[in-house]
Amino acid sequence: MPGNDWDPDDYDDRHGFVHEHGQSVVDLLDPHPGEQVLDVGCGTGHLTAEIADSGAEVVGIDASAEMVAQARDAYPTLTFEQADVRSYTADRPFDAVFSNAALHWIPGEDHDAVLSTVADALTESGRFVAEFGGQGNVAAITDALIAELDVRGYDASHPWYFPSIGEYAPRVEAHGLELQFSRLFDRPTPLDGGEEGLRTWIEMFGDEFFAGVDDSEQAAVLSAVKDRLRPTLFDGDTWVADYRRLRLVAGR
C-alpha cells in the first residue's frame, strides 16, 4: 500500500476493524480448497490467513516492507511478497485476485495499471473480488482536515482515490473483465481509542495531509479537526468515521 508511513504494530493494535470488516469480503470471495488466490494489499496478513484456512493456496503482496515483515512473522507458513501491484508480474495463473481496503491508496491515474495486473494474473475463468473506499468515503474527516490546513496557509489536497460505480465500472471492463456485482454503501465505522480515536486514525492513515507541516502545527490542526467533527462524529464515548465502501466482483 503506497503513500503512507506504516506502523504495523499500531495498525494491528488500534485499527483491527480493517480486517474485521474484511471478513465479509472473504465470504464474498468464497475461496475453495486448491484454488490459487492473490491477495493484493495484504497488510499484516490476517485476511490472507483467513483465505488460506479455506484450503486455498494464497500469495499476499503489499508495497510496505514493514507490513510484509509483520505478516511473515505472524504467518510463517504462508507466502508474502513486497510488491507494487502496478508493476507486479504473477509467476502463475490465479483463480482469484482479492483485495480489501487497499486500492484507494493507489492514485486514480494508476488504476489502469492495477487492473491490467489483475487481468493478466487471472485464469480464463478467474474472478476479481475487491472492496475499497468509494465516492464520499470519510468526506467529513477529509473536508475538516483540508479546511483547517487551508486556514493555516497550507495547500492541502485529497490524497486518496474514492471512485463511484459509474466511474470505475468502465475501467474494469476496459481490461477484459465483466463486472458481475457492484455496490456503493455507507458503513459508519467506530474507531478504537475512545476520545483519542479520531486522532490515532488520522495519525495512522493521514500522513500525506501533513507533508511539510511541523509537529507543533499538526497538533493544533488535529485539535481543531476534532472540534469541527465532535457534534457529528462523536457519540460521547466513540468516534464513528463516515466510511463509504465500493465492493465489486468481476470475472474474465
Side-chain angles (χ1 to χ4, degrees), residues 49-113:
E50 291 279 351
I51 294 167
D53 285 345
S54 72
E57 298 289 331
V58 60
V59 175
I61 65 170
D62 201 285
S64 166
E66 294 80 9
M67 291 290 207
V68 169
Q70 182 108 332
R72 287 171 173 164
D73 286 345
Y75 305 105
T77 64
L78 301 183
T79 300
F80 297 97
E81 301 174 14
Q82 183 188 359
D84 188 327
V85 65
R86 293 170 288 189
S87 57
Y88 180 74
T89 300
D91 63 359
R92 74 194 80 168
F94 287 92
D95 299 294
V97 175
F98 170 87
S99 186
N100 177 68
L103 296 182
H104 49 251
W105 294 101
I106 298 172
E109 60 266 26
D110 291 342
H111 271 246
D112 287 315

Side-chain angles (χ1 to χ4, degrees), residues 10-28 42 44-48 50 75 98 100-101 131 185 187-192 205 243 245 247:
D10 191 26
Y11 182 81
D12 277 347
D13 291 346
R14 298 185 179 183
H15 308 283
F17 65 84
V18 176
H19 68 260
E20 290 164 5
H21 283 287
Q23 179 60 60
S24 63
V25 192
V26 175
D27 293 341
L28 184 63
C42 63
T44 51
H46 299 307
L47 294 181
T48 320
E50 291 279 351
Y75 305 105
F98 170 87
N100 177 68
E131 182 179 300
F185 60 98
R187 196 199 72 198
T189 301
L191 305 179
D192 293 338
F205 298 113
Y243 272 55
R245 312 312 278 174
R247 181 176 291 191

Side-chain angles (χ1 to χ4, degrees), residues 142 145-146 149 156-160 202 205-211 213:
T142 57
L145 275 165
I146 290 169
L149 288 164
S157 61
H158 196 303
W160 302 313
I202 294 171
F205 298 113
D207 287 354
E208 291 176 274
F209 283 99
F210 292 102
V213 181

